[in-house]
């Protein structure tokens, strides 16, 4: 019976073949850091120096801030993306946290993050948004009001947040390069 099982597994195995950028040749040569599939079906690409790109399945659209701010999204390294409960896209960059309002496609900078690297953004089940900076987490309401700040444990300057998630107990689990895994205790 072991032989029959082994033959079945070998015969039913499938090989996956991937061609780099074969589905979107327009993305060739653009360093992509993260992909977000939003609630409306769009795919968003976070790029290293080519701005934010939206893919509707037919064409690509680049987004940049429509302001005279000195901080320009198209020259920023976009590290992370998240969608809030109002369907806005939160954009974490090496120059701060931006929010793209999909009603008018305006992009604004979250003031508390000017010139600060944002390494991850998380939408919580309660609608709050969490931004990971190098040394702390910022918790915002979906209306962009800062609700809380939490210091991160850092043993050295070579540690930063690479990802966050929310567990079944509504706790934020944080993964840090050279720092380990932590669970945020919001009550202490």
């Amino acid at each position: 019976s072991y032989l029959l099982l082994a033959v079945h597994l070998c015969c039913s195995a499938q090989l996956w073949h991937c061609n780099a950028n074969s589905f979107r040749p327009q993305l060739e040569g653009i360093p992509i850091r993260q992909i977000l599939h939003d609630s409306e079906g769009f795919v968003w690409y976070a790029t290293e120096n080519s701005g934010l790109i939206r893919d509707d399945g037919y064409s690509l659209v680049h987004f940049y801030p429509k302001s005279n701010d000195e901080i320009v999204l198209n020259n920023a390294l976009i590290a992370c993306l998240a969608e809030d409960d109002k369907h806005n896209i939160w954009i974490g960059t090496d120059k701060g946290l931006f929010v793209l309002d999909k009603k008018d496609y305006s992009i604004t900078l979250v003031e508390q993050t000017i010139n600060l690297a944002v390494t991850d953004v998380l939408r919580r089940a309660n609608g709050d948004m969490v931004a990971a900076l190098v040394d702390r987490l910022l918790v915002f309401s979906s209306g962009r009001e800062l609700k809380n700040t939490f210091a991160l444990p850092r043993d050295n300057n070579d540690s930063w947040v690479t990802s966050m998630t929310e567990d079944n107990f509504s706790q934020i689990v944080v993964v840090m390069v050279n720092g380990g895994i932590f669970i945020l205790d919001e009550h202490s």
Side-chain angles (χ1 to χ4, degrees):
S1 70
Y2 290 113
L3 181 57
L4 185 58
L5 177 62
V7 169
H8 173 71
L9 290 176
C10 288
C11 292
S12 64
Q14 296 179 3
L15 296 176
W16 287 56
H17 181 72
C18 298
N19 292 327
N21 293 322
S22 63
F23 77 107
R24 288 284 179 264
Q26 306 95 315
L27 295 173
E28 189 171 335
I30 297 176
I32 296 172
R33 303 279 300 213
Q34 190 177 33
I35 299 173
L36 171 71
H37 184 226
D38 75 12
S39 60
E40 297 175 53
F42 294 115
V43 175
W44 297 84
Y45 301 101
T47 72
E48 287 192 15
N49 287 308
S50 298
L52 179 66
I53 301 173
R54 186 190 72 194
D55 186 345
D56 64 7
Y58 300 100
S59 62
L60 302 177
V61 177
H62 290 254
F63 288 89
Y64 308 102
K66 295 179 184 175
S67 68
N68 294 327
D69 291 340
E70 291 181 18
I71 299 172
V72 181
L73 189 58
N74 65 332
N75 289 328
L77 185 152
I78 301 176
C80 51
L81 302 170
E83 182 179 22
D84 68 20
D85 58 358
K86 295 179 180 176
H87 309 290
N88 298 311
I89 304 296
W90 291 59
I91 308 160
T93 78
D94 61 338
K95 298 179 181 180
L97 180 65
F98 296 83
V99 180
L100 180 139
D101 185 334
K102 289 198 288 184
K103 292 177 191 151
D104 62 3
Y105 289 101
S106 61
I107 299 174
T108 56
L109 175 65
V110 176
E111 288 182 26
Q112 296 89 343
T113 67
I114 293 174
N115 289 323
L116 298 174
V118 178
T119 59
D120 199 18
V121 183
L122 169 70
R123 175 182 162 194
R124 299 190 68 187
N126 67 3
D128 287 349
M129 300 298 291
V130 182
L133 306 181
V134 172
D135 60 346
R136 63 192 176 274
L137 299 181
L138 303 178
V139 180
F140 296 91
S141 69
S142 61
R144 302 180 202 168
E145 293 87 26
L146 181 64
K147 293 175 70 175
N148 215 334
T149 302
F150 298 99
L152 291 171
R154 294 184 71 210
D155 293 336
N156 58 55
N157 289 333
D158 293 332
S159 62
W160 64 89
V161 174
T162 59
S163 65
M164 298 182 290
T165 191
E166 186 174 26
D167 68 14
N168 292 338
F169 304 105
S170 299
Q171 297 174 318
I172 300 172
V173 180
V174 179
V175 177
M176 296 182 71
V177 167
N178 300 322
I181 299 175
F182 300 93
I183 295 178
L184 176 65
D185 182 359
E186 296 181 73
H187 306 290
S188 65

